[in-house]
Amino acid sequence: MTTQPPTQVPTHPAMPVPLFEEYDPGGDCGCPGCARRRRDLARARAIPLRDGGHPAARGARRALVLATAAGVVLSGGTGAAVAVSGPDPVPGPVTPGSPQGGRAPLHGPSRTGPVKAPAARRQIGRTTIINRAKLWLDAKVPYSMSLYWTDGYRQDCSGYVSMAWNLGTNEWTGSLDTFATRITKDELLPGDMLLFHNPADPNQGSHVTLFGGWVDETRTHYIAYEQTRPTTRKQATPYGYWNNATKYLPYRFNGITGGITPEAPAAGPKPVADVTYPGAAKFGAGANNEYVTQLGQMLSGRGGSRFYPQGIGPQWTDSDRLATQAFQRAQGWTGGEADGRPGPKTWSLLVQKRGKDIPPTVAGATGPPSLRVPPYPGAAVLRPGASGPAVTALGRQLVRKGFGKYYPTGPGPRWGEADRRAVEAFQRAQGWRGTSADGYPGPETWRRLFA
């Protein structure tokens, strides 16, 4: 039985992506047949994904899919296809309480019989892994723990890694580590995975992402390819993840070949003659240049990395303003001297590595209000009919962040449509869509709004 592809989710304009050191592989094969197939895939989206894609291997791939569906013992593919080279592993029983179940074949119901060790597999390169990951990203594959994409892989986080690694079976967070070897953070390269499996209760946090490269030389954020709601995504992510960060462990697929030379850290800020200040016009709303990047790198090195959850880039953002303001206030400046725009004095201290660093926390009345994060009051407080100080604080922070155009008379204590529309605009500015941008703030919306 072949599962029909689910309804496609429409794509939406994405947020600007910060500069990062992601590994961006080239095409697999330059022959006319492969080039034509890549163009067709980009247009059709729903064409079943297959590794390699060389025309000479299509017949072998069709036979492989049909044999898998019928539960027949297979032998390896031919041509450029990366296929199973031994018997298709027999899936084990479903694990009780697991959100993803036990191992399952690519197509059709599970077969019965004793559990066998995974078959020996042909090797796969990092270029191929990243290119396969990008296929689901381009197709905006919807997240599901029960549906299967047109290539036969389950549309959840572990099915995504199974597909990118071309395992030939749908693994889950409790079995992916059996196909890989534990490595260290410093050894991570594109195509490796970061895995968190909670054996006590897999529903609580279990997740896996593909590592796509470091965002910058600080190595505090990386580009994560992951299958999550609503669709496949790629974005800058704090190491090891947004939640349960310390529980994510790096692994390398045992079948990986060759590799790439680890990317050297970014060259650092562009050298500036002495402490020459580039001018106020280089900073502020609309600015997009190398000096904004240099400012972010210097501020990050002085304790301001927490202000850059999406990474450092040349586009001036509120992160640059808040980090600059925190550095200025650390020097004891107030008023116009701590407006969040770097002047000659701020620039000189940063370039010469003088002055006080940004403190790790901002507490009490000495810090700017926008940096003090109040606890999330709960969903019931931020709904129609609700009224209280939390609604007022939310509205005021939305105005500070530039989302105040929906308030004709200013934010107040009673929740209204203006609050919902302002929150929705803020959520969409994070790149969220669908139910993630419904205008009602959850804990993550609240944290980002006040952070």
Side-chain angles (χ1 to χ4, degrees), residues 12-382:
H12 297 274
M15 288 183 62
V17 179
L19 292 179
F20 54 87
E21 299 179 1
E22 184 203 2
Y23 173 56
D24 191 11
D28 286 332
C29 180
C31 77
C34 285
R36 183 172 59 255
R37 179 182 175 276
R38 286 192 292 270
R39 287 195 300 270
D40 293 340
L41 179 60
R43 289 194 297 266
R45 304 287 193 194
I47 297 177
L49 312 181
R50 293 291 180 266
D51 182 48
H54 199 283
R58 290 172 181 166
R61 283 197 302 272
R62 292 193 189 98
L64 174 61
V65 172
L66 292 174
T68 305
V72 179
V73 175
L74 306 177
S75 59
T78 59
V82 179
V84 177
S85 58
D88 192 330
V90 177
V94 173
T95 305
S98 164
Q100 303 180 65
R103 301 181 187 181
L106 279 177
H107 300 277
S110 301
R111 299 194 299 272
T112 59
V115 177
K116 296 181 181 179
R121 300 176 187 281
R122 291 189 177 179
Q123 296 178 320
I124 187 172
R126 296 186 184 278
T127 296
T128 304
I129 291 175
I130 296 299
N131 279 339
R132 286 173 67 86
K134 287 184 175 180
L135 289 173
W136 275 29
L137 182 70
D138 292 341
K140 294 290 183 183
V141 176
Y143 180 89
S144 174
M145 291 195 296
S146 59
L147 297 178
Y148 293 76
W149 193 237
T150 55
D151 54 9
Y153 285 96
R154 192 179 55 246
Q155 295 167 213
D156 58 13
C157 62
S158 48
Y160 183 49
V161 174
S162 299
M163 179 278 298
W165 283 0
N166 198 39
L167 295 182
T169 57
N170 282 288
E171 301 304 321
W172 68 301
T173 55
S175 63
L176 278 170
D177 63 328
T178 64
F179 295 81
T181 300
R182 181 79 184 278
I183 59 175
T184 66
K185 175 183 177 181
D186 292 336
E187 294 174 312
L188 275 167
L189 291 173
D192 296 335
M193 76 172 174
L194 286 165
L195 173 68
F196 167 41
H197 175 66
N198 183 2
D201 185 359
N203 285 292
Q204 296 299 318
S206 295
H207 189 51
V208 62
T209 72
L210 278 172
F211 180 83
W214 293 109
V215 168
D216 57 36
E217 77 282 357
T218 66
R219 298 200 170 193
T220 59
H221 289 69
Y222 66 100
I223 296 301
Y225 290 85
E226 59 178 324
Q227 183 67 5
T228 186
R229 293 180 177 87
T231 64
T232 315
R233 76 179 180 189
K234 176 185 100 175
Q235 71 172 18
T237 303
Y239 187 87
Y241 197 67
W242 303 99
N243 301 313
N244 300 302
T246 60
K247 298 181 180 180
Y248 279 77
L249 304 178
Y251 286 89
R252 176 161 299 159
F253 179 43
N254 291 333
I256 209 157
T257 62
I260 63 172
T261 302
E263 299 225 19
K270 179 181 179 180
V272 178
D274 299 326
V275 292
T276 303
Y277 176 59
K282 296 294 184 181
F283 308 102
N288 189 329
N289 56 72
E290 60 194 11
Y291 292 103
V292 176
T293 301
Q294 182 179 351
L295 174 72
Q297 291 171 342
M298 292 190 296
L299 289 168
S300 181
R302 299 297 296 273
S305 60
R306 69 177 183 272
F307 294 95
Y308 294 93
Q310 301 300 319
I312 297 168
Q315 179 74 46
W316 178 272
T317 67
D318 206 38
S319 296
D320 299 295
R321 182 184 66 80
L322 292 174
T324 302
Q325 188 177 52
F327 178 77
Q328 292 168 334
R329 289 180 177 271
Q331 315 312 310
W333 304 344
T334 58
E337 289 188 314
D339 60 358
R341 294 279 295 275
K345 191 174 179 181
T346 301
W347 188 261
S348 176
L349 290 178
L350 288 170
V351 172
Q352 294 183 349
K353 298 182 179 180
R354 295 189 295 109
K356 297 179 180 179
D357 289 347
I358 300 171
T361 58
V362 181
T366 58
S370 61
L371 296 182
R372 297 196 295 271
V373 181
Y376 178 61
V381 180
L382 305 168

